[in-house]
Amino acid sequence: MRKMSLVLSVLVILSLLFSFSLVWAQEGASELEIKTADAAFEAADKGNPDPAWKGQKLTIGVYSAGPRGAISGPLYFWRPYFEKLTGATYDIVEIPFAELREKIFTDLMTGTGTYDIIVGPSWFYGDYISNDWIVPSDKYLNDPRMPKWEPASILPPLQELYSWGGKWVGFNNDHDGQVLYYRRDILNDPKWQEEFKKETGKDMPVPPKTWDEVYEITKFFHGKDWNGDGEPDYGITMHLKVAGQGFFHFMALSAPYVVAPAPGDDPNKVTRYHNVYWFDPETMEPLVNTPGFVEALNMLLKLSKTGPSAMWGWSLGEAWDAFLRGKAVICFSWGDVGSLSQLPDQSSIKGKLGVAPIPGSEKYYDLETKQWVEKRNFVANTVGASWHGVISKFSKNQDLAAYFLSWQATPPINHWNVVWGWTGVDPGTLYDLLQPTGKSTIEEYVATGYEAEDAKQFVNAYEEMWYKYPLKQSYLRIPGTPEMWEIWDIHLSEAVTGQVTPEEALNRTAEDWNAIIDRLGREQLKKIYQEAIGYKPE
Amino acid sequence: MKREKGNVFVIPAIIWIFTFTIFPLVYSFRVSISRISYGKITGFAGLSNYVRMFGDYRFWGTLRFTLIFVSISVVATTFLGLGLALVFNRKMRGLKVFRSLLTMPLFTAPVALGYLGVMMFYEENGPVNVLLKYLGMGKVPWLSHPWWATLAVCMVDVWQWTPFAFIILLAGLQSISDEIYEAAVIDTSSGWTVFRYVTLPLISPVLGTVLMLRLVDAFKIFDVPFSLTSGGPGTATRTLTFYIYTQGLRNFDLGYASAMAYFLLAITMMIGMLFFRRYRELYE
């Protein structure tokens, strides 16, 4: 009897703690957040939830950042709303970035079905699809029980990340691509422009259009006390720690040096030598050690010397923080920086934010002629995770999982997640872009605390990159991608910390990638790669 | 008949050994000579995983770092532990409090110490660099420079394991009777001579135990570099265990990971065998 009462007491305490955690998750929210979230909840389509779902429970595996952190945060925030809607609930299993692959793939490989939903990165698709591990979202698009979301609203380069072979697989959530952030107040300051001209003999290019221009600016500002705090400040800030997602910087930076436009009428045509970034589509030989990449890595090294040496040990948070608290004049990163810059508790640069599309290069390497072409080149990117939900094939609650993900994908809820910086959900749909291209208005952003000019710069930079840039960098979605990127990450870190030369780092990457390709099957990967980038052998 | 009945009680131990020692050992050896795809054995690989290991520069890099780490960490913990034990092996006020405080890091999870290290060694105004600045020294790139990162990993490990060496060696020192010292003092007034010819030989078995346990444990280091540096910059602080984990559980290249794990097992077993050969008389 005593044992029984002890067990009951423990259960009561645990359930109380659990209930409090729900309240705490909501308690971290401001009144404005709650008010706007309530409005979004009312406005969102709710479909027709099945009464049989009442009392059921899902488990969601998600990148770990806590109840008020990126990507995992919105799951905590919206849980009480979901319970209100369906009578069902879900557990959130947070998985650290470095352990995502082992936890998720092991679950799928063994068919355990721990996670009904996986809110994971887009680079898992090669393994998801080739192993038939997930249930496509296509199946639910016309299901009357499901809330209506708008796949067509997702901007075209990002649509590719959510689909496979022309079918929708994932559910709309986050949209990643890197753009350039700079201090508008400092770069536009006549005093600094005059100083720049005196020192370099040139006008300061504002905003910088190419990586060479970025370097000129960061080199000029690095070590000067341009923010007036009595200490020298930085030119640039990046996250370059191994396993700190720093390799995405290099991906975005290297694209214009590597991706060459096709000759003829259609510059976007994918040929063996044009509009390819990862591999030679005929041989699956890695391109990662070709001259374009080497040139780009040398540029990354030059840039990294115009920032704090500490950033070689920084992950995302530290690098963003240096820019947000006004210590670095430039950074290039995801949409998070744009929205976080508007949060007074995390940023001192609200009203001072300048944003430009990702810079281009002054030249690019032509793989066909094996020569450099001295011409400016601009390439849009979708680098990053574009974190979004997929349904595990081993889930026993697939319909309920689809309901939750469809509801989160509806324009009002998704757009709410986008405008609040702490959610880590970045813009990438028509209803995030400003009119006339998009459906949103500047007033919508201002109503949630944005400074108008900052919001305009932020959203328009993405619009320009994804709509007006002539070329785009392909995304890698073949089996083995996570392993290849991890290896790349390590070798890039070796290069930036001076352990090996850039050439050696990239040669090592190519060698390791070749070993993976041979291990997983070169012919099979080649076929998937060709399909993924739209290459048709002639 | 009585003896036969008594043998029944050995069965749980046999089951335990077979389930948790023999079976995993045999199974992992089978995995190490197999071809694996997404966790499933798809064919026989022979010794190719072992051959691959010897031609893999990353394997040699991680082994090199492991050996550097083991050398620094084991020597430092043993010396510091012995030094502290000698200091605390005397009657003084507040001894119990000091001893308790000294042993605290030992009871902390290594991964937590690693994350604590991230804060301590933070280059931009972290406590260690602030202290160095206060002492008039420059900023040290603890986590972003290969050699400093190596030192940071060693320092966190030493921080954790010095109390272990301290406790064991203190117990060894306290087991030496006062009469022996009293007799030694008649012959010499040199503290060093007493330590060299009396204390050291008498605590030699304890010292050997500390060295062996630390060596075996240091070869298996994983948590600290995992949480403190993620094995970086580059692969500067990637240990052999970290590499085995990466290959086996992240890349699902289980055959290769098992082969490397066998190599590590061979190293640690050799250390154990050397130790038992040296101190055989103590255990027989």
Side-chain angles (χ1 to χ4, degrees), chain A residues 207-323:
Chain A
K209 291 261 192 292
T210 65
W211 290 112
D212 291 274
E213 290 180 352
V214 171
Y215 175 63
E216 282 172 8
I217 290 173
T218 58
K219 190 178 157 202
F220 169 75
F221 280 104
H222 186 57
K224 291 188 172 75
D225 178 21
W226 47 262
N227 68 7
D229 65 355
E231 287 182 358
D233 302 307
Y234 314 132
I236 199 165
T237 172
M238 291 186 267
H239 42 93
L240 297 175
K241 182 184 179 179
V242 161
Q245 303 188 53
F247 60 98
F248 286 118
H249 282 307
F250 184 58
M251 234 183 254
L253 186 151
S254 57
Y257 292 93
V258 177
V259 179
D265 298 338
D266 181 9
N268 284 296
K269 188 181 175 196
V270 179
T271 74
R272 182 176 179 183
Y273 305 109
H274 306 98
N275 294 295
V276 287
Y277 178 81
W278 300 102
F279 302 100
D280 179 331
E282 285 290 323
T283 61
M284 274 310 273
E285 194 60 37
L287 301 175
V288 73
N289 54 349
T290 52
F293 279 99
V294 176
E295 183 76 11
L297 186 50
N298 279 316
M299 174 55 82
L300 184 80
L301 257 69
K302 272 164 66 177
L303 282 172
S304 73
K305 290 186 175 76
T306 65
S309 62
M311 69 186 178
W312 296 331
W314 278 357
S315 297
L316 279 179
E318 293 110 311
W320 289 347
D321 181 58
F323 181 71

Side-chain angles (χ1 to χ4, degrees), chain A residues 101-102 127 234 486 493 499, chain B residues 38 124 233-234 245 250-251:
Chain A
R101 193 178 359 145
E102 71 196 64
D127 292 279
Y234 314 132
E486 184 176 281
S493 173
Q499 296 174 68
Chain B
Y38 291 99
E124 300 284 298
Y245 155 78
R250 279 195 197 160
N251 302 338

Side-chain angles (χ1 to χ4, degrees), chain A residues 26 71 239 254 263 313 386 397 409 471 489 500:
Chain A
Q26 289 293 309
I71 305 302
H239 42 93
S254 57
S386 285
N397 288 302
L471 304 175
D489 185 33
V500 295

Side-chain angles (χ1 to χ4, degrees), chain A residues 60-105:
Chain A
I60 306 177
V62 62
Y63 162 66
S64 167
R68 289 285 291 179
I71 305 302
S72 57
L75 298 180
Y76 288 92
F77 183 87
W78 290 105
R79 184 159 54 185
Y81 293 88
F82 178 68
E83 288 171 359
K84 194 172 150 190
L85 253 180
T86 59
T89 188
Y90 52 80
D91 287 334
I92 301 159
V93 180
E94 292 190 44
I95 308 169
F97 183 80
E99 294 162 42
L100 274 170
R101 193 178 359 145
E102 71 196 64
K103 294 273 190 321
I104 291 170
F105 284 12

Side-chain angles (χ1 to χ4, degrees), chain B residues 163-185:
Chain B
F164 167 76
F166 161 67
I167 290 174
I168 307 276
L169 290 167
L170 185 63
L173 286 172
Q174 290 185 344
S175 69
I176 303 172
S177 75
D178 289 344
E179 284 87 0
I180 296 174
Y181 283 118
E182 283 160 12
V185 169

Side-chain angles (χ1 to χ4, degrees), chain A residues 446-512:
Chain A
V446 171
T448 53
Y450 278 76
E451 202 274 338
E453 181 58 24
D454 290 0
K456 202 170 139 191
Q457 294 246 344
F458 172 45
V459 181
N460 285 350
Y462 275 103
E463 181 188 326
E464 191 178 340
M465 182 171 82
W466 282 329
Y467 266 108
K468 296 177 186 160
Y469 264 28
L471 304 175
K472 70 177 169 62
Q473 178 181 22
S474 55
Y475 198 91
L476 190 61
R477 298 199 301 170
I478 59 173
T481 298
E483 186 180 348
M484 290 182 192
W485 284 7
E486 184 176 281
I487 282 165
W488 200 15
D489 185 33
I490 289 167
H491 292 317
L492 289 173
S493 173
E494 286 174 340
V496 292
T497 55
Q499 296 174 68
V500 295
T501 62
E503 289 83 355
E504 177 62 15
L506 296 173
N507 284 337
R508 283 181 174 192
T509 309
E511 186 189 323
D512 290 345

Side-chain angles (χ1 to χ4, degrees), chain B residues 152-164:
Chain B
V153 170
C154 292
M155 282 166 75
V156 173
D157 190 71
V158 169
W159 176 21
Q160 170 149 53
W161 286 104
T162 297
F164 167 76

